[in-house]
């Protein structure tokens, strides 16, 4: 694996002591701005690029509940203060430099922050970007009247003070090690526009966003495409194309065909399916590579459904899944089986979790011992609860649909009835997923925030939107020990000390199994030859993290 593709940084204790200043911020690596003013003067934007997505972006306010595909648009229109590059380094964007202990941006105890901003950034409507916008954004995320996608970390921010248009300070209620990674995925939004809206949940802005990014919102044809145009006043490198089109193609076979014919220049989420890899890698004029990903595919449960409250049921279903055959037969052996939600290249990955054992007999015995008895129709039941449920995923993903059929047959063999009920992506990953309206789902998720192991958004009991929380705990999973460990891990800064906490969380999740981990992605990425600077980055959730710098040779 090359350094370029090496996922997730592994900081040693010696490095941590130097970078965190004996337990400070958690920010690592360079504070140098990636965007030079010389670069910003070259605006040779020409032509257009079309990026294909098999899921439709539908959430354009980056602070409302959303999924990975929506961030493809967010990275094009908005900027964070700093971001994480493909090597795991924090790099300045709207900030003039990444705040560190060394440059005075963060106090040695991690409690006091000072962020200096660039003075040459404008919103797409021409208004200047200032520290007032940073203050507004951070306050919006914890506004109890706003449907925020993430309060984790931001909830500890106190005393936000605008010192000048280019400087803002705040204090942390307590040190929180994941906060730099959270800030790196927090896009800034304009106070003068969104702040003027009476209800920010239903604001007109949410469907016609204005940012500071390399591309401006132009138009959207729902169910078809989104057109963005170059921001010629962009402060950074790029944009290098005049028009950027995000095309929605729900059928993965059609997505691949349009890539072959040249209708799509870059295959984005969910990329080229493994069954097309042998052909794709030899297509003239295309660049096709297998790229390790941080996404974990799982069968996920709604833990509030009575069928899944019995741990024996979840364990039996896991035993009845022939993971290896699924990987080999349907994914051509490209992905790697896993027992954890943490990517295997991460410093925090736990390699000692119990290994999955495919055994129909074991699955039957688990259910027998737990008192689930087959009825006249062959479907088991206990205490009036029938062991039957629906399984959903995105319609048009033909490989996942085949996986469902594999599972459906295996589950039938152990007396479990699984009904397949797939939905269009915009419906599937909307309230159906976010508000836990499903029974079970086959889904691929990136659980970490950049290289940071914190999963409070996913596993903390207060992070379930269906229960009024803010986060992505769509399983409605609740475990006090996990809550306590997440709180402990967030207060530790040296990786070796944090590691023990996150190894333990992985043990608990493997035992409790609100999700059954299937494999870690290895994705087949493709783009037209001559498109430069398309770089995979496992520290972000979407391919277009650096779309501003894409250009035609």
């Amino acid at each position: 694996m090359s350094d370029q593709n090496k996922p997730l940084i592994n900081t040693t204790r010696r490095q941590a002591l130097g970078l965190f200043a004996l337990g400070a911020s958690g920010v690592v690596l360079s504070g140098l701005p990636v965007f030079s003013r010389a670069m910003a003067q070259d605006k040779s934007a020409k032509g257009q690029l079309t990026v294909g997505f098999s899921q439709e972006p539908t959430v354009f306010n980056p602070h409302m509940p959303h999924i990975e595909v929506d961030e493809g648009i967010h990275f094009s229109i908005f900027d964070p203060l700093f971001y994480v590059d493909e090597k795991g380094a924090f790099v300045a964007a709207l900030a003039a430099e990444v705040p560190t202990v060394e440059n005075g941006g963060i106090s040695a105890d991690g409690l006091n922050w000072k962020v200096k901003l660039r003075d040459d950034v404008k919103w797409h409507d021409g208004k200047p970007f200032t520290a007032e916008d940073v203050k507004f954004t951070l306050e919006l995320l914890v506004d109890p009247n706003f449907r925020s996608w993430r309060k984790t970390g931001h909830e500890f921010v106190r005393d936000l003070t605008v010192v000048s248009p280019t400087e803002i300070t705040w204090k942390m209620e307590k040190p929180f090690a994941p906060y730099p990674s959270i800030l790196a995925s927090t896009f800034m939004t304009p106070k003068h526009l969104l702040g003027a809206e009476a209800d920010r949940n239903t604001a007109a802005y949410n469907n016609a966003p204005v940012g500071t990014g390399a591309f401006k919102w132009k138009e959207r044809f729902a169910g078809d495409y989104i057109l963005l145009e170059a921001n010629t006043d962009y402060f950074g490198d790029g944009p290098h194309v005049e028009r950027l089109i995000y095309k929605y193609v729900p059928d993965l076979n059609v997505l691949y065909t349009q890539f072959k014919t040249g209708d799509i220049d870059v295959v984005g989420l969910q990329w080229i399916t493994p069954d097309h890899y042998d052909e794709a890698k030899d297509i003239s004029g295309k660049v096709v590579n297998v790229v390790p990903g941080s996404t974990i595919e799982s069968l996920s449960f709604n833990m509030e459904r009575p069928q899944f409250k019995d741990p024996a049921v979840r364990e039996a279903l896991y035993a009845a899944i022939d993971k290896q055959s699924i990987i080999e037969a349907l994914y051509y052996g490209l992905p790697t089986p896993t027992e954890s939600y943490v990517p295997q290249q991460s410093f925090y990955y736990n390699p000692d979790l119990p290994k999955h054992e495919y055994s129909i007999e074991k699955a039957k015995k688990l259910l027998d011992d737990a008192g689930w008895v087959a009825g006249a129709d062959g479907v088991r039941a206990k205490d009036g609860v029938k062991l039957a449920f629906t399984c959903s995923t995105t319609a048009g993903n033909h490989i996942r649909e085949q996986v469902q059929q594999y599972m459906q047959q295996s589950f039938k063999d152990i007396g479990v009835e699984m009904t397949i009920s797939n939905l269009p992506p915009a419906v599937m990953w909307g309230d159906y997923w976010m508000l836990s309206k499903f029974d079970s789902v086959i889904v691929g998720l990136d659980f970490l925030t950049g290289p940071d192991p914190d999963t409070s958004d996913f596993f903390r009991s207060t992070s379930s939107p269906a229960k009024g929380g803010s986060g992505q705990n769509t399983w409605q999973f609740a475990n006090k020990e996990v809550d306590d460990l997440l709180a402990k891990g967030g207060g530790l800064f040296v990786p070796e000390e944090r590691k023990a906490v996150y190894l333990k969380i992985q043990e608990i999740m493997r035992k409790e199994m609100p999700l059954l981990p299937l494999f870690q992605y290895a994705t087949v990425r493709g783009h037209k030859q001559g498109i430069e600077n398309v770089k995979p980055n496992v520290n972000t959730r979407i391919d277009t993290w650096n779309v501003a710098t894409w250009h035609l040779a």
Side-chain angles (χ1 to χ4, degrees):
M1 185 180 297
S2 67
D3 286 341
Q4 176 174 313
N5 293 333
K6 184 179 180 181
L8 306 172
I9 59 171
N10 178 351
T11 310
T12 66
R13 179 178 178 85
R14 181 183 296 274
Q15 291 170 324
L17 292 176
L19 294 167
F20 302 149
L22 295 174
S25 71
V27 171
V28 299
L29 299 177
S30 173
L32 296 176
V34 69
F35 305 124
S36 71
R37 295 177 189 272
M39 282 176 150
Q41 303 307 312
D42 180 16
K43 297 299 177 186
S44 55
K46 298 177 181 178
Q48 72 179 33
L49 288 176
T50 300
V51 181
F53 284 154
S54 66
Q55 299 173 0
E56 183 179 12
T58 59
V59 181
F60 309 116
N61 182 332
H63 304 312
M64 300 192 74
H66 63 268
I67 59 172
E68 288 91 333
V69 71
D70 300 307
E71 292 180 11
I73 307 300
H74 302 163
F75 272 107
S76 307
I77 293 177
F78 300 96
D79 295 293
L81 295 173
F82 46 87
Y83 64 91
V84 183
D85 70 10
E86 74 277 12
K87 296 179 181 179
F90 290 113
V91 184
L94 294 174
E97 59 183 2
V98 177
T100 64
V101 174
E102 289 80 4
N103 63 28
I106 305 172
S107 62
D109 59 8
L111 294 177
N112 296 294
W113 286 63
K114 176 173 66 177
V115 179
K116 297 178 180 178
L117 307 173
R118 296 180 65 105
D119 61 4
D120 58 347
V121 180
K122 295 180 180 178
W123 294 103
H124 293 158
D125 62 1
K127 299 290 185 180
F129 163 76
T130 73
E132 290 288 352
D133 299 304
V134 179
K135 183 175 187 289
F136 166 75
T137 298
L138 297 183
E139 289 176 340
L140 176 66
L141 284 159
V142 296
D143 183 341
N145 296 315
F146 178 65
R147 193 180 166 200
S148 173
W149 88 295
R150 170 183 281 159
K151 293 183 179 180
T152 300
H154 304 303
E155 62 199 348
F156 302 132
V157 173
R158 300 287 184 271
D159 300 332
L160 275 161
T161 302
V162 173
V163 178
S164 74
T166 58
E167 185 175 321
I168 186 169
T169 63
W170 67 81
K171 295 180 180 179
M172 301 293 287
E173 179 184 303
K174 64 179 183 179
F176 189 58
Y179 198 51
S181 290
I182 291 170
L183 277 178
S185 60
T186 301
F187 296 99
M188 295 297 115
T189 44
K191 177 182 179 181
H192 69 283
L193 293 176
L194 190 53
E197 299 275 7
D199 182 356
R200 290 151 196 172
N201 297 297
T202 60
Y205 175 91
N206 298 342
N207 292 310
V210 172
T212 59
F215 293 93
K216 297 180 180 181
W217 183 267
K218 181 66 175 176
E219 62 185 7
R220 177 197 180 205
F221 281 79
D224 194 354
Y225 70 87
I226 293 169
L227 173 63
L228 308 180
E229 61 183 1
N231 173 18
T232 55
D233 290 327
Y234 190 51
F235 62 90
D237 177 16
H240 300 289
V241 293
E242 295 175 273
R243 293 173 300 278
L244 181 63
I245 299 170
Y246 287 102
K247 190 174 182 181
Y248 167 48
V249 186
D251 189 303
L252 292 174
N253 286 318
V254 176
L255 180 66
Y256 173 63
T257 299
Q258 292 194 10
F259 172 64
K260 284 201 302 181
T261 59
D263 294 312
I264 287 172
D265 299 308
V266 180
V267 182
L269 198 78
Q270 291 167 300
W271 311 287
I272 299 169
T273 55
D275 52 328
H276 292 306
Y277 174 60
D278 279 344
E279 178 190 31
K281 62 184 175 62
D282 295 323
I283 299 175
S284 177
K286 310 293 184 184
V287 178
V288 175
N289 294 304
V290 177
V291 176
S294 56
T295 304
I296 306 299
E297 187 88 343
S298 72
L299 174 62
S300 284
F301 301 124
N302 183 343
M303 297 287 280
E304 287 299 314
R305 295 290 192 263
Q307 303 94 314
F308 303 130
K309 286 186 176 295
D310 185 345
V313 169
R314 305 193 297 274
E315 190 177 352
L317 292 175
Y318 197 32
I321 297 175
D322 188 354
K323 288 205 297 188
Q324 197 58 46
S325 291
I326 288 171
I327 291 170
E328 291 174 0
L330 300 181
Y331 290 91
Y332 290 75
L334 294 178
T336 305
T338 188
E339 303 299 336
S340 175
Y341 59 87
V342 175
Q344 295 173 42
Q345 295 81 5
S346 171
F347 175 69
Y348 298 95
Y349 170 70
N350 188 338
D352 300 321
L353 300 176
K355 296 296 183 283
H356 170 263
E357 176 192 357
Y358 168 59
S359 172
I360 293 295
E361 292 308 312
K362 176 183 176 182
K364 289 179 179 179
K365 187 175 188 307
L366 283 165
L367 294 175
D368 288 341
D369 292 349
W372 292 88
V373 180
D377 58 358
V379 180
R380 295 175 184 261
K382 178 183 178 182
D383 299 332
V385 176
K386 196 171 183 179
L387 200 40
F389 58 90
T390 61
C391 179
S392 305
T393 195
T394 42
N397 187 326
H398 63 283
I399 295 187
R400 274 188 181 162
E401 289 169 347
Q402 291 176 62
V403 171
Q404 287 176 311
Q405 291 163 19
Y406 262 70
M407 290 182 178
Q408 186 180 50
Q409 183 57 54
S410 292
F411 293 164
K412 183 179 180 181
D413 291 342
I414 65 171
V416 176
E417 181 180 73
M418 185 184 93
T419 302
I420 297 171
S421 178
N422 294 338
L423 301 166
V427 179
M428 178 72 222
W429 307 122
D431 286 352
Y432 185 75
W433 168 249
M434 287 294 179
L435 296 181
S436 306
K437 297 181 178 181
F438 60 90
D439 288 347
S440 72
V441 164
I442 294 182
V443 61
L445 292 170
D446 290 81
F447 289 87
L448 306 193
T449 303
D452 194 276
D454 179 68
T455 49
S456 297
D457 273 351
F458 291 97
F459 301 143
R460 190 170 57 182
S461 60
T462 56
S463 295
S464 173
K467 295 179 177 178
S470 176
Q472 300 179 77
N473 183 355
T474 53
W475 304 271
Q476 303 191 75
F477 173 75
N479 183 291
K480 185 179 185 306
E481 186 177 5
V482 169
D483 286 348
D484 292 344
L485 286 167
L486 287 168
K488 180 180 179 180
L492 300 173
F493 292 87
V494 176
E496 287 84 355
E497 295 175 4
R498 298 186 75 196
K499 187 172 186 175
V501 171
Y502 297 100
L503 294 181
K504 182 61 178 177
I505 293 174
Q506 289 171 75
E507 286 181 19
I508 296 171
M509 299 307 295
R510 175 61 178 81
K511 179 182 178 183
E512 295 295 319
M513 292 191 292
L515 66 149
L516 307 182
L518 301 176
F519 56 78
Q520 180 179 337
Y521 277 30
T523 57
V524 182
R525 310 288 180 92
H527 62 268
K528 182 180 178 181
Q529 199 165 39
I531 302 175
E532 298 184 351
N533 219 39
V534 179
K535 296 180 179 180
N537 182 353
V538 297
N539 299 297
T540 62
R541 303 204 302 170
I542 197 72
D543 311 44
T544 51
W545 67 279
N546 69 333
V547 71
T549 66
W550 292 7
H551 59 277
L552 298 168

